[in-house]
């Protein structure tokens, strides 16, 4: 009987977010005229809100609880892990040639890579922390941590999947405007989503090897997600003509993720 919840948890964490991304990428076949700037900003804000709430409710709070009664103050693993996640993503961002959606100039070291390839690199960097977040919560559940339940795994996976739907569209649609065919853009968007199960499996493996690292790894995933929010999502909502639509998206995304975490957790 114990194996059944474990299998269900692993299936939810590894499959549900990926399906959300795939569904979003499939919108490239329906939205042939692309998305308006305001709609794109609203979706980016929504994704940012979900990720901020997930970082706080699903990762930082359990990290603090898991560290209680340990050999160090409970805030220390959360602080160390959070900063480690932020700075690792900063290093990856700095040393990987990539091009953010909507940007004119690539970032990272000089490269001869084509524009669509660098866009895919940026999107892979973006998706990795989401997979890591789901994976570390799954790892906590598998390790029997009392603060993390199957419902916790489900709420975070569903929240990430919901924000992956518009995110998948944001991935695929710009690729068509850069000369890629719709089937290839769909495949590229789907493959970017495949980074998430890889990140999840990596976190499960790391935490499984050293269970006491759980508070650090939970906070690490939160830091990685917050880097994406502050470096990419929020700035993109403020590009071009000023509008508050991105801020409204953040509000709705945050509340949705908070409700999911509290209601299901």
């Amino acid at each position: 009987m114990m194996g059944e919840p474990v299998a269900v948890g692993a299936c939810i964490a590894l499959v549900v977010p990926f399906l959300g991304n795939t569904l979003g990428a499939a919108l490239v076949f329906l939205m042939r005229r692309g998305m308006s700037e305001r709609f794109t900003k609203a979706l980016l804000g929504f994704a940012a809100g979900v990720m901020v709430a997930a970082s706080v409710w699903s990762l930082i709070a359990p990290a603090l609880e898991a560290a209680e009664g340990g050999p160090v103050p409970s805030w220390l693993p959360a602080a160390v892990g959070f900063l480690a996640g932020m700075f690792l993503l900063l290093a990856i961002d700095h040393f990987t040639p990539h091009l953010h959606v909507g940007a004119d100039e690539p970032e990272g070291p000089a490269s001869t890579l084509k524009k669509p390839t660098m866009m895919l690199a940026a999107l892979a960097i973006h998706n990795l922390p989401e997979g890591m977040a789901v994976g570390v919560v799954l790892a906590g559940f598998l390790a029997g941590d009392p603060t993390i339940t199957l419902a916790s795994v489900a709420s975070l996976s569903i929240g990430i999947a919901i924000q992956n739907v518009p995110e998948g569209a944001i991935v695929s649609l710009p690729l068509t405007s850069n000369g890629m065919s719709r089937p290839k853009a769909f495949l590229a968007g789907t493959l970017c989503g495949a980074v998430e199960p890889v990140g999840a499996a990596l976190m499960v493996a790391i935490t499984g090897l050293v269970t006491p690292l759980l508070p650090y790894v939970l906070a690490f995933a939160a830091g990685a997600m917050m880097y994406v929010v502050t470096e990419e999502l929020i700035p993109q909502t403020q590009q071009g003509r000023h509008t508050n639509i991105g801020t409204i998206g953040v509000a709705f995304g945050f509340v949705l993720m908070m409700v999911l975490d509290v209601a299901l957790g």
Side-chain angles (χ1 to χ4, degrees):
M1 293 295 291
M2 185 61 188
E4 185 175 339
V6 169
V8 171
C11 183
I12 290 173
L14 298 176
V15 176
V16 171
F18 177 69
L19 290 179
N21 189 90
T22 302
L23 178 60
L27 293 177
V28 74
F29 298 110
L30 301 177
M31 304 177 70
R32 293 188 172 272
R33 295 185 179 180
M35 292 187 293
S36 68
E37 182 181 358
R38 282 176 58 83
F39 189 49
T40 300
K41 288 181 177 181
L43 296 181
L44 287 168
F46 178 81
V50 169
M51 292 175 74
V52 170
S55 297
V56 175
W57 295 90
S58 301
L59 298 169
I60 295 294
L64 291 169
E65 289 184 34
E68 287 181 357
V72 297
S74 60
W75 56 263
L76 185 60
V80 171
F82 186 89
L83 291 175
M86 288 282 287
F87 284 110
L88 176 63
L89 263 290
L90 176 63
I92 293 173
D93 200 57
H94 181 73
F95 291 108
T96 304
H98 61 281
L99 178 67
H100 293 296
V101 175
D104 296 322
E105 297 294 329
E107 296 182 13
S111 172
T112 58
L113 295 174
K114 294 182 179 180
K115 204 171 184 180
T117 303
M118 287 194 287
M119 288 179 67
L120 290 175
L123 295 163
I125 294 171
H126 175 126
N127 285 347
L128 182 62
E130 297 169 15
M132 292 163 60
V134 175
V136 70
V137 171
L138 173 62
F141 169 67
L142 297 178
D145 188 285
T147 65
I148 300 176
T149 64
L150 181 59
S152 303
V153 177
S155 64
L156 180 58
S157 299
I158 292 170
I160 295 296
I162 290 171
Q163 69 103 22
N164 274 353
V165 175
E167 206 170 76
I170 293 171
V171 168
S172 299
L173 289 167
L175 294 175
T176 60
S177 63
N178 280 278
M180 189 176 287
S181 69
R182 294 185 187 279
K184 286 185 177 180
F186 166 72
L187 179 61
T190 302
L191 290 176
C192 276
V195 172
E196 293 189 18
V198 172
L202 179 63
M203 288 296 99
V204 170
I206 291 174
T207 311
L209 290 174
V210 190
T211 303
L213 287 179
L214 180 62
Y216 294 90
V217 183
L218 281 164
F220 176 88
M225 287 217 296
M226 287 300 294
Y227 178 85
V228 172
V229 171
T230 56
E231 168 69 13
E232 183 178 345
L233 297 182
I234 296 297
Q236 286 182 18
T237 66
Q238 303 304 313
Q239 289 178 353
R241 186 177 178 180
H242 175 71
T243 174
N244 292 321
I245 192 68
T247 303
I248 295 170
V250 170
F252 279 101
F254 185 94
V255 169
L256 174 65
M257 187 65 233
M258 180 183 67
V259 170
L260 278 174
D261 191 86
V262 174
L264 297 180

